[in-house]
Amino acid sequence: MSIAREELRINGIPALVLGEPSDQVYLYVHGQNGNKEEACGVAESLRRYGYQTLSLDLPGHGERADEMPFFDPWHVAPELAAVMRFAETRWKGVSLFANSIGAWFGMLGLRGKRLDRCLFVSPVLDMKRLLQKMMGWADVSEERLRRERVIPTDFGQTLSWEYWEYVASHPITAWENPTEILYGGSDALIDRDTVEQFAQRFRCGLTVMENGEHWFHTREQMDFLHRWLEQSAAANGAQTG
């Protein structure tokens, strides 16, 4: 059976609502190179526990591929805040599912909002530390970045002084929403101690797939992810069959 699907625009942002009508929804926030359609697999699992899924294309992704310069926190966070305001008018309860940098964007954009539950997969939780790691890979000092402002790298990321300044002035100092984290033990991007420290500090549940990577994509990894997702959803939802 195909999942129910509604296409809409929220303040001009292309979005999908997936699943049968419900008063409970998960806001799905994709990571870099993702799109709103990738939420379909997650939505199929969530609908069995009484949830719809609301997914959107972030700048530079999906239908918004020509907006790549705007895939940054000062554009994305306000968009997520606006989508959250829309969600609050349509659903009684709102939860968050976020991948990679989508988790960091979500924590910025939904800061201070009440979320029933949050599910993070391979989340970026300390962006300053991640930027320092990337600067080390590229052999770029903070002083050089300040001087040159924008520095392309040979691993596909562009280092930006404006981005660095934003990150430094917007640390995640509070996160009170109940959160479960799935982390791959072979994640080359996010350090394990960063995830463990965040989970301990903010009382999050943490599940580690030791041979999981930052991008969960193999059959084994996806099976693990969906088992974790269904266990997490079942703990907080009403099974609908």
Side-chain angles (χ1 to χ4, degrees), residues 127-142:
M127 180 56 82
K128 184 174 182 180
R129 183 169 177 178
L130 179 56
L131 288 181
Q132 289 171 327
K133 189 174 189 176
M134 291 182 177
M135 288 164 68
W137 290 343
D139 194 24
V140 171
S141 66
E142 184 177 342

Side-chain angles (χ1 to χ4, degrees), residues 24-213:
Q24 304 292 322
V25 72
Y26 265 90
L27 171 59
Y28 184 103
V29 184
H30 66 72
Q32 190 166 10
N33 301 320
N35 56 56
K36 64 185 180 300
E37 285 78 15
E38 75 176 34
C40 291
V42 166
E44 179 61 37
S45 293
L46 291 173
R47 73 167 188 85
R48 291 198 286 270
Y49 297 94
Y51 297 101
Q52 290 186 290
T53 301
L54 171 62
S55 180
L56 62 146
D57 284 329
L58 296 180
H61 296 74
E63 294 181 45
R64 307 174 68 189
D66 59 346
E67 299 179 34
M68 197 60 206
F70 304 114
F71 189 62
D72 54 52
W74 51 93
H75 285 99
V76 175
E79 284 193 2
L80 293 180
V83 171
M84 180 66 181
R85 288 193 293 272
F86 166 81
E88 289 173 325
T89 68
R90 177 161 170 174
W91 288 278
K92 181 178 179 181
V94 182
S95 297
L96 173 66
F97 185 104
N99 278 306
S100 189
I101 195 172
W104 182 60
F105 286 151
M107 289 188 291
L108 290 171
L110 308 182
R111 194 189 302 250
K113 288 291 187 178
R114 180 188 177 276
L115 296 161
D116 288 350
R117 194 171 187 82
C118 301
L119 303 178
F120 291 167
V121 178
S122 304
V124 174
L125 302 170
D126 186 338
M127 180 56 82
K128 184 174 182 180
R129 183 169 177 178
L130 179 56
L131 288 181
Q132 289 171 327
K133 189 174 189 176
M134 291 182 177
M135 288 164 68
W137 290 343
D139 194 24
V140 171
S141 66
E142 184 177 342
E143 178 54 39
R144 180 186 166 194
L145 188 59
R146 180 188 293 111
R147 185 173 65 251
E148 298 185 26
R149 311 295 293 184
V150 176
I151 301 175
T153 70
D154 58 11
F155 50 85
Q157 300 295 329
T158 298
L159 299 172
S160 157
W161 179 249
E162 184 180 17
Y163 207 109
W164 172 267
E165 285 191 309
Y166 181 98
V167 169
S169 61
H170 293 79
I172 303 299
T173 57
W175 186 247
E176 298 179 356
N177 295 300
T179 301
E180 293 289 333
I181 297 170
L182 175 60
Y183 174 76
S186 298
D187 192 325
L189 192 65
I190 309 300
D191 294 329
R192 185 169 185 150
D193 64 328
T194 296
V195 178
E196 291 174 340
Q197 289 167 14
F198 182 95
Q200 182 177 23
R201 181 181 182 188
F202 298 120
R203 302 182 185 88
C204 306
L206 174 60
T207 299
V208 178
M209 181 184 183
E210 292 298 346
N211 58 338
E213 302 165 82

